[in-house]
Amino acid sequence: MIIERMLAGGDLGSYPPLSARRADPMYQRMNSSRALMVLFALSLLTVDAHARTVWRCLRDGTVSLSTAPEPGSKCTANNLDDNAAALPNLWGAMGVVRGTLYKREQDGQVVYSTRNLPGSTKVLQFTVATPPSSPAHTGLGHIGKPELGAYQREFRNAARVTGLDEAWLRAIAHAESDYTADALSSKGAKGVMQLMPDVIGDYGVKDPFSAKQSIMAGAKLLAALESQYGGDRALVAAAYNAGVGAVTQYGGVPPYVETQEYVAKVGALYARYRAAMGLAPRSLELQPAQ
């Protein structure tokens, strides 16, 4: 059943008619400790669309989620794709959130919200644990075709100096900046390899927006991380993204959504670059020899 799949974290693809959903006992007792975004997806199943909008609303130091802008609150729209593998966290890092889902009529439509506004009636109570805050970002690049023509001399030289394969360096650069030399992330990372200020200082980078300097410093950092993690490139990617401290704290890839998406992205790109360069497949995780 669609509700069972969604509560288990499945995709948001096709779903049965509303009459069938209402007959489902799980639909009738929608009191779940799963992510609140799932509750919103359930409440929106009456809308025939491939993407739905949930509003994140701020008022007097409080945050709520709603299916329409709340009067008197500052609200921003967030579009949820039915085809997405997972729903995003719109609360932020708030620890365990306990609240109530309400419904009311607004402008002739039924609106669901986690704020008790005039005319609201209670639908259900919920408890949801939000993921920990992350110093990371998913990278500015997107999974796409390998780009072997960008900065050929710089990547070849960095691979030779560090002993890392060029496909690996390119996968990181592609995920980080899509080869954009002047890229600047919201977290303060700069250049092709998205170097953070501490890395820029540690590796003596004079101009982080110089592709040559950025690629060499990024390659040296990756080589150091590879040595530290014994060649486990899943941990290398996680540390490059979220920092060594986060990997140490969680004893592996941190639970940050951003970092997990980043590691998956890098893994997919690495496979594509190795294939494009005529190299045998290699996973990020270490595998036992056969």
Side-chain angles (χ1 to χ4, degrees), residues 76-289:
T76 54
N78 297 269
N79 293 321
L80 306 185
D81 186 351
D82 280 359
N83 296 316
L87 292 164
N89 166 42
L90 300 183
W91 289 107
M94 299 180 65
V96 177
V97 176
R98 294 180 176 85
T100 304
L101 181 68
Y102 301 93
K103 72 175 180 179
R104 68 181 188 281
E105 198 169 295
Q106 178 175 309
D107 299 327
Q109 295 182 333
V110 175
V111 174
Y112 292 84
S113 172
T114 62
R115 191 185 302 277
N116 187 8
L117 295 176
S120 296
T121 58
K122 177 180 173 181
V123 177
L124 56 84
Q125 292 182 309
F126 62 85
T127 300
V128 56
T130 63
S133 60
S134 168
H137 66 93
T138 57
L140 304 177
H142 301 283
I143 298 176
K145 294 173 59 178
E147 301 176 32
L148 298 177
Y151 307 116
Q152 293 180 350
R153 180 180 302 176
E154 290 82 357
F155 279 105
R156 279 198 300 266
N157 187 46
R160 178 185 59 80
V161 169
T162 61
L164 300 178
D165 59 303
E166 184 179 335
W168 175 235
L169 300 181
R170 285 190 173 278
I172 295 292
H174 189 141
E176 288 286 348
S177 71
D178 202 16
Y179 297 104
T180 304
D182 61 353
L184 177 64
S185 81
S186 61
K187 306 287 186 177
K190 300 176 181 178
V192 172
M193 302 297 280
Q194 288 290 276
L195 306 178
M196 295 297 285
D198 57 339
V199 175
I200 292 171
D202 290 346
Y203 289 91
V205 176
K206 303 299 182 185
D207 179 8
F209 297 115
S210 161
K212 179 179 179 180
Q213 294 182 45
S214 180
I215 291 168
M216 182 59 73
K220 289 181 177 179
L221 172 59
L222 287 167
L225 293 173
E226 187 143 330
S227 177
Q228 179 172 347
Y229 295 116
D232 188 326
R233 288 185 170 173
L235 296 182
V236 171
Y240 195 95
N241 178 257
V244 171
V247 174
T248 300
Q249 177 183 353
Y250 292 102
V253 177
Y256 309 145
V257 173
E258 298 89 343
T259 300
Q260 302 219 353
E261 289 182 2
Y262 176 85
V263 172
K265 180 194 298 185
V266 168
L269 287 169
Y270 186 38
R272 294 188 183 193
Y273 273 98
R274 286 189 67 88
M277 299 177 74
L279 302 173
R282 175 181 169 178
S283 67
L284 297 189
E285 297 84 3
L286 290 175
Q287 302 294 326

Side-chain angles (χ1 to χ4, degrees), residues 36-53:
L36 181 61
M37 293 314 306
V38 174
L39 299 177
F40 268 97
L42 294 175
S43 71
L44 288 170
L45 287 178
T46 56
V47 182
D48 292 323
H50 295 293
R52 316 180 194 285
T53 300

